[in-house]
Every structure is written in structure tokens, then in C-alpha cells.
Amino acid sequence: MRAVEVATACAGRGLDGDRYAAGTGWWRTTDGCQVTMIHAEHLARAARRSGVAVTDGRHRRNLVISGLAGAQLRERQVRIGEALFSWHRVRPPCGYLDQVAGRGTAKALGRHAGLCLKVVEGGVIRVGDEVKLVPSQRLRDSARRIRL
């Protein structure tokens, strides 16, 4: 893992140069995520509670955001910079995390280990870009009734 100031999100793949987009790494295709995201607030809480340093990238998530609750992102789309992402699922920590980041890291993150996102529209994202929730289409779509 390495920190970058700018990344390119590729629709349907992930972040250019990342193992998820390249299809390599310690995961199975059925279990993989295009992009992983975690909240800075969850990292800070995990570090306070456990004493395990997780704020320096050991969490192995692609994006760290702040200011939005995880529940706000569930089944929603978010725009970060030029790219549009859609919520895919919760991403619990795996045992491999303890092997590469140190014992206790997975437990420290626990159920706040992050989310999987899909890249709907590619584009450049930068550190400091605003994370904007896209108005939910789901509610409007479910309100429509098809009459035969």
C-alpha cells in the first residue's frame, strides 16, 4: 500500500494501478471489491480502543473519507472528484490483514472495516475532493407502479 495524492477510477474495474483493478492479490474474484473505502472516524476510534496503529494505511483500504456516516452510504451512489461510485457491500476485515499489518489489526477494525464500492463512472479523484451523496433513485423507482 502506498498513499497517493491523485488516482484515476476506471469504470467497472477500480483504481488504476491497484490490485483490485489489475485482478491480482490475496482475494478471490467473487469476494473482491473494485474500490474499498473506510471512514477516518472509524480508524481513529479503532486506534483509541485497541492501541493498534491503523491510521497509517495498515487498514489496506483504497479511500479514507470523513464526515459521512456509513449508514448514509448504504445502497447509494457517491461522487468523489470526477468519479461516480455505487455502494456494493460492507467489507469486513480478513485474516490476511493481521499477517501483513500486524496481529490484532482485523479485530481493532471489527465491523467498521470499510465498504466495497463499484466504479460507475471513471475519472480523476484527488485528496481533499468532496464526497457528495447522489440523490437516491431507489425511492423514486419503488414508488412507480407498473399497470398492465
Side-chain angles (χ1 to χ4, degrees), residues 3-26:
V4 297
E5 294 291 317
V6 178
T8 301
C10 304
R13 288 190 23 237
L15 299 178
D16 190 37
D18 183 63
R19 64 194 171 113
Y20 293 118
T24 61
W26 295 92

Side-chain angles (χ1 to χ4, degrees), residues 96-141:
Y96 182 65
L97 185 60
D98 282 353
Q99 293 176 31
V100 297
R103 186 180 175 139
T105 305
K107 183 177 181 181
L109 293 175
R111 64 186 179 101
H112 297 291
L115 306 170
C116 290
L117 302 175
K118 292 182 180 179
V119 183
V120 178
E121 295 174 7
V124 175
I125 59 174
R126 293 176 171 78
V127 170
D129 279 346
E130 186 178 2
V131 179
K132 301 175 190 174
L133 285 175
V134 174
S136 177
Q137 294 294 316
R138 192 178 60 151
L139 294 176
R140 282 184 255 159
D141 291 344

Side-chain angles (χ1 to χ4, degrees), residues 13-45:
R13 288 190 23 237
L15 299 178
D16 190 37
D18 183 63
R19 64 194 171 113
Y20 293 118
T24 61
W26 295 92
W27 56 277
R28 298 173 197 237
T29 304
T30 57
D31 188 42
C33 299
Q34 290 179 13
V35 175
T36 56
M37 180 172 65
I38 195 163
H39 294 83
E41 295 83 357
H42 293 163
L43 292 174
R45 182 176 47 223

